[in-house]
Amino acid sequence: MAKTEPSPKAILDLDRMVHEPARLAILTVLASAEEVAFLFLQRVTGLSKGNLSSHTQKLEGAGYLETVKVFQGRIPATSFRITEDGRAALRAYHQQLRGLLPKEGKP
Amino acid sequence: MTTPDLQTLEALTQDYAEFDSRKSGLATALGGALALLVGLHLFHPVRVLAGPWWKIQATVVFLAPVLWLPLKQLLFHRLYRGLGPVKVSPDMAYEQKRWHWLFMTAMALMTFQTLTLLGILRGFLGVLSHPETLQQLPTKLPAVWTTWLWVAALPWLYLTIMPWWIKGVEEARAYLVLVGQGLVWIAFSFLQEGVSIDRGGKAWAVWILLAIQTGVIVWAIRTIRRGWKEHREYLALLRALPRES
């Protein structure tokens, strides 16, 4: 039996909350550690402060990450954690994307 | 935006988190350097309980672990926390390994304390039953109460600060070596005074001390090299981060 090609609908089914490059980078970083400081996240993703804040707010709204506010001495510091939903969404996105990519050897 | 690919992002985050929670870089190297200094110092062929050397040696040997802890914390905050804390993903196997080393330190300290206290008690009871032996005691033995205080308080001091200040296996190992050097030294110094090694009695104690110290020195040199290598890895990690936009 011939293998079925992914339908165009599968492309449209991609989770757009994860698909956006900056948010994908943020979720990838958060999935690699338990808790990540704002400053490190900003440096590693190369995003500006405003951009990072905007994307993390969207991800938090979607329930994919949670913000942790702590005080280091008197200085307030912000960290982020990926939620179980966020981890599942990232995993699902990877699987979907792998299914959409052409098999090796094909253009 | 110059965001690296996803695999690089993962690797950079995990590497940075390792420095936040496990690796110590120059802090480990500092532990090795202190162990090396103490190790070389203990090779000095003096009768340790005699003269002002005892106090100097005691201060150096016993303060080395206590001095190392705040210094390594300072190095950690100055060198490896520049981009804020990043907690590493939990790893039970690693945590067990870390606790294994902490447990070994605790066991060494408790064994030392029990044996020393029993020894002191035995000596005290011996003097009580044979008061004439009092005059045979070495005149330069430290005051009994000072010894009691050292023996009773120091292991607890070492143990109390240990779990909160030591973050990884390398640090736990360095702490055990630094604390162990103190224990070996005090056991040896009592033994040396008691059996009068320079009159040929029980020279094996000297060989044991030399063997232990040689092992410590080899370990210290390797630890300094490893710490330096880790530090260079950290600098490479910082260079690999994208430039701020």
Side-chain angles (χ1 to χ4, degrees), chain A residues 24-25 28-29 32-37 39-40 42-48 72 81 94, chain B residues 1 3-4 6 9-10 13-14 16 82-89 238 241-242 244-245:
Chain A
L24 179 61
T28 303
V29 170
S32 310
E34 197 190 352
E35 198 175 302
V36 178
L39 192 57
F40 178 79
Q42 191 196 342
R43 268 303 296 276
V44 79
T45 55
L47 293 166
S48 68
Q72 291 177 334
R81 275 169 189 264
H94 282 171
Chain B
M1 191 173 83
T3 305
L6 298 181
L9 274 181
E10 263 181 21
T13 309
Q14 283 163 358
Y16 183 86
L83 298 175
V86 174
K87 285 187 194 164
V88 74
S89 302
L238 288 188
L241 289 176
E244 284 174 83
S245 51

Side-chain angles (χ1 to χ4, degrees), chain B:
Chain B
M1 191 173 83
T2 52
T3 305
D5 65 82
L6 298 181
Q7 273 185 338
T8 311
L9 274 181
E10 263 181 21
L12 286 172
T13 309
Q14 283 163 358
D15 287 349
Y16 183 86
E18 281 279 322
F19 275 94
D20 195 78
S21 311
R22 290 171 190 162
K23 288 183 181 174
S24 306
L26 288 187
T28 316
L30 179 71
L34 277 174
L36 185 66
L37 280 178
V38 172
L40 291 173
H41 180 69
L42 291 186
F43 269 121
H44 198 278
V46 290
R47 294 186 62 192
V48 282
L49 274 179
W53 271 106
W54 191 84
K55 277 185 182 167
I56 296 168
Q57 282 194 324
T59 311
V60 170
V61 172
F62 287 116
L63 284 188
V66 183
L67 186 73
W68 176 64
L69 289 174
L71 279 177
K72 85 168 182 63
Q73 285 300 102
L74 191 73
L75 277 175
F76 166 62
H77 283 283
R78 289 274 161 137
L79 296 175
Y80 306 118
R81 263 279 175 94
L83 298 175
V86 174
K87 285 187 194 164
V88 74
S89 302
D91 179 350
M92 284 303 289
Y94 186 88
E95 271 305 296
Q96 275 180 354
K97 213 171 157 189
R98 186 177 82 95
W99 276 103
H100 165 81
W101 283 96
L102 296 182
F103 180 71
M104 273 174 60
T105 310
M107 285 302 288
L109 283 167
M110 289 296 101
T111 309
F112 162 78
Q113 190 175 44
T114 309
L115 289 177
T116 316
L117 291 179
L118 281 175
I120 290 173
L121 193 66
R122 191 167 163 244
F124 187 66
L125 290 175
V127 168
L128 278 185
S129 55
H130 303 283
E132 69 278 5
T133 57
L134 195 62
Q135 290 177 354
Q136 293 169 14
L137 284 176
T139 49
K140 285 174 181 171
L141 265 177
V144 172
W145 286 112
T146 316
T147 314
W148 270 92
L149 198 69
W150 276 103
V151 172
L154 212 66
W156 291 107
L157 173 71
Y158 286 152
L159 282 176
T160 312
I161 50 182
M162 185 171 66
W164 288 272
W165 285 55
I166 291 173
K167 64 179 185 186
V169 171
E170 283 304 321
E171 284 191 2
R173 208 174 283 160
Y175 193 65
L176 175 62
V177 171
L178 288 171
V179 167
Q181 274 184 310
L183 305 188
V184 168
W185 174 78
I186 198 160
F188 177 75
S189 61
F190 279 126
L191 194 63
Q192 189 189 31
E193 191 61 31
V195 300
S196 188
I197 285 161
D198 47 20
R199 286 202 296 270
K202 296 196 179 179
W204 54 266
V206 179
W207 291 108
I208 291 176
L209 182 77
L210 286 178
I212 292 173
Q213 288 308 327
T214 308
V216 166
I217 286 169
V218 171
W219 171 87
I221 291 167
R222 288 180 62 181
T223 303
I224 292 169
R225 283 181 62 187
R226 188 187 297 125
W228 178 244
K229 191 174 160 245
E230 277 181 9
H231 180 65
R232 288 173 63 92
E233 282 169 11
Y234 183 79
L235 294 180
L237 188 156
L238 288 188
R239 280 196 299 271
L241 289 176
R243 298 206 177 276
E244 284 174 83
S245 51

Side-chain angles (χ1 to χ4, degrees), chain A residues 90-101:
Chain A
L90 188 64
R91 240 187 335 255
Y93 175 79
H94 282 171
Q95 274 176 359
Q96 279 180 308
L97 206 62
R98 243 176 259 130
L100 287 172
L101 291 172

